[in-house]
Amino acid sequence: MKKKMLNVLILASGCLTLPVSAAPFDGAQPLICASTEILECIPGDGCSRVTAESIDAPQFIRIDFAANALSAERVGGGTKVSQIERSETVDGELMLQGAEDGVEGVRDGLGWTLAIGQETGKMSLTASGDEVGFVIFGACTAI
């Protein structure tokens, strides 16, 4: 009788187990992405590691696919929202693109591309403007 009960418990626990693998990052659910490494590149000076604080970049980026937008709390204060102007899946990566004016009256506009590995959630964000480029590496998770 004990053996039969043990088999029933094992079978029942197997039916209740949820898959451990991560859901694909396909744009079906909102994400939050955290930056882990940031590079700033300037012609003639090369690229150097910088902190989010030193360039007023967000540490975390929220992606709302339903609203087709990214939002982030800036290190210097305030929330920045950027529209996703283009979205495409290429070779297992979700590619999002857009452009921003930056601060009004300042020549600081940037075009950006955010690539998210659909199996891993690892991300690379590149942004470039007039004589400057940024590369941000990190990872995303569903929220």
Side-chain angles (χ1 to χ4, degrees):
M1 181 68 165
K2 286 183 182 180
K3 188 173 183 178
K4 188 174 184 180
M5 182 58 87
L6 180 60
N7 286 337
V8 169
L9 288 174
I10 290 171
L11 180 61
S13 68
C15 292
L16 296 175
T17 303
L18 297 174
V20 179
S21 63
F25 297 88
D26 60 1
Q29 55 189 330
L31 303 175
I32 187 162
C33 303
S35 59
T36 56
E37 184 175 357
I38 302 173
L39 300 171
E40 178 181 43
C41 304
I42 299 172
D45 287 341
C47 298
S48 57
R49 287 185 176 172
V50 295
T51 63
E53 294 84 7
S54 70
I55 61 170
D56 196 24
Q59 183 70 45
F60 298 98
I61 300 168
R62 290 183 185 344
I63 305 173
D64 184 344
F65 294 102
N68 214 30
L70 309 179
S71 64
E73 296 293 321
R74 301 195 68 125
V75 175
T79 301
K80 178 71 176 165
V81 177
S82 183
Q83 289 303 124
I84 299 170
E85 296 174 17
R86 183 168 186 234
S87 176
E88 185 175 342
T89 300
V90 178
D91 291 336
E93 292 193 58
L94 179 59
M95 304 285 191
L96 310 174
Q97 294 181 316
E100 286 304 316
D101 179 30
V103 177
E104 191 173 329
V106 177
R107 194 169 172 195
D108 62 350
L110 294 172
W112 56 266
T113 298
L114 175 60
I116 303 168
Q118 289 186 297
E119 290 184 16
T120 65
K122 301 247 175 153
M123 69 107 181
S124 298
L125 170 66
T126 57
S128 59
D130 188 18
E131 304 249 349
V132 67
F134 301 95
V135 181
I136 301 175
F137 298 101
C140 303
T141 191
I143 51 174

